[in-house]
Amino acid sequence: MCRSIIAGRTGRVCTIMSGMDTHFLGITELVEVPSVAVVVDVMRAFTVAAWAFARGAEKIVLAGSLNEALALKARHPEWVALKDGPPAAGFDAVNSPGLLRSADLGGRTVVQKTTAGTVGALAVKDASLVLCAGFVVAEATARLLRTRRSDGVTFVVTGEGGRADEDLACAQYIARRVTEAGTDAAEFLRRAAGSRAAAELAQGVRQGAHPDDVALCLELDRFPFAMVATLEGPLMVLRPRTMPSSVNEDPV
Ligand SMILES: O=C(O)[C@H](CS(=O)(=O)O)OP(=O)(O)O
Ligand SMILES: [Mg+2]
C-alpha cells in the first residue's frame, strides 16, 4: 500500500510504498549510483535477453558500443553478436524476440548492443544490485526484490528519455508487485500495448522486427527467472537467476 507519493513533473519521480522508496528515472536523469537498480526495457532489449536465456544462452555481455560488440566478437568468434535495428555485417542476430525464439543458443555467450536497454544497464553498472527486466520476467524480478527487502529501488525507464510508457508501466507494475502480490497487470499491459514503441513495431517503423514482437514483449511472467547484471572484470554480464516460488526461500 502507498504511504505517500512525491510527484515530479511527470508524476513519476518517487513513491514510498510500505517502506520501499522507489524512483523512476530516465538514463540521463541518473545523478548518483543507486544501491539497487532495475533497468526496464520492454521493447525490446530485455524481452530479447530473456528469450536468449530461454533458448540456452549461458550469459549476455552488454556492450557499450557497436565497435565494442564487434571487437568482442572478433576476440571470441564463437560468441553471438546481437544489435538492434537492421541486420548488419559482423553481427549474427537482431534485437527481436520473434526472430530469436527459434535460435539454438545452447551454452553460447551473446553480446548485446541496443539503443536503450543496454545503455541503461551500463549507466548503473556500479550499483550493488542491477536487474534487467521486462514484463516477461516481472514476477521473478519482484520476488528477487522482495527477498532482498531493499529500502530503495531505482527503476531506470530506458526508452524515450524516461518517458516510454511501455517501460514506465512495467516499472510501476514491478514496483507495485513487490509489496502487493495480487496487483492486476491488465492496466499496465494495456498502457504498454498502447505505447509508441508498440505502434512503431506494429507499423514496421522499427527495423529488425518480427510480427509477433509486440505480443511477445507483453507476455506476463513468461519466464521464471530474474536477470542479474554484474561486472565481471571490465565486462557487464547478464545472467538468469531462477527464483523459488516462496518469498521465504533464498534465490538459487
Ligand atoms: O530494438 C529496439 O526496439 C530498440 C531500438 S529502436 O528504438 O528501434 O531504435 O532498442 P531497445 O534498446 O531494445 O529499446
Ligand atoms: Mg526499448
Side-chain angles (χ1 to χ4, degrees):
M1 180 180 301
C2 266
R3 287 207 316 238
S4 64
I5 296 174
I6 305 163
R9 189 163 51 87
T10 59
R12 68 191 173 82
V13 173
C14 176
T15 308
I16 301 171
M17 288 192 244
S18 300
M20 192 174 89
D21 182 7
T22 55
H23 297 259
F24 301 89
L25 299 173
I27 296 169
T28 59
E29 295 170 324
L30 293 160
V31 289
E32 56 190 34
V33 178
S35 171
V36 176
V38 179
V39 188
V40 179
D41 193 338
V42 173
M43 296 181 193
R44 293 168 287 173
F46 298 140
T47 302
V48 165
W51 271 100
F53 291 130
R55 299 303 303 159
E58 180 196 336
K59 65 181 188 291
I60 298 175
V61 176
L62 304 173
S65 68
L66 294 174
N67 282 343
E68 185 192 346
L70 289 171
L72 287 165
K73 171 75 182 179
R75 223 178 302 148
H76 306 277
E78 73 282 13
W79 287 10
V80 178
L82 182 157
K83 69 177 276 293
D84 59 1
F91 286 87
D92 307 293
V94 292
N95 195 40
S96 160
L99 293 171
L100 205 70
R101 68 181 155 173
S102 52
D104 177 4
L105 298 174
R108 306 288 293 275
T109 294
V110 174
V111 181
Q112 186 181 28
K113 164 71 180 89
T114 73
T115 303
T118 57
V119 175
L122 289 165
V124 291
K125 64 180 170 37
D126 294 318
S128 62
L129 175 66
V130 180
L131 307 180
C132 295
F135 282 109
V136 290
V137 294
E139 170 54 21
T141 304
R143 198 177 295 155
L144 199 156
L145 291 170
R146 238 178 269 138
T147 64
R148 290 271 304 207
R149 294 180 174 83
S150 308
D151 292 341
V153 177
T154 295
F155 288 86
V156 183
V157 179
T158 60
E160 299 169 32
R163 270 73 180 161
D165 209 29
E166 76 281 11
D167 295 334
L168 183 57
C170 182
Q172 290 170 333
Y173 174 69
I174 292 170
R176 183 87 67 84
R177 189 79 184 249
V178 173
T179 53
E180 297 174 44
T183 300
D184 186 354
E187 176 59 18
F188 300 93
L189 289 166
R190 190 196 60 72
R191 281 170 53 197
S195 67
R196 181 196 307 210
E200 288 181 354
L201 282 165
Q203 292 160 9
V205 174
R206 294 194 183 196
Q207 294 180 281
H210 183 280
D212 293 344
D213 278 359
V214 172
L216 290 168
C217 290
L218 299 178
E219 281 192 315
L220 186 68
D221 300 333
R222 177 72 174 75
F223 303 113
F225 51 80
M227 298 188 291
V228 182
T230 52
L231 283 172
E232 297 186 13
L235 301 178
M236 185 74 160
V237 178
L238 189 63
R239 296 178 187 272
R241 186 176 300 177
T242 300
M243 296 302 300
S245 55
S246 164
V247 295
N248 295 320
E249 295 175 47
D250 291 328
V252 293

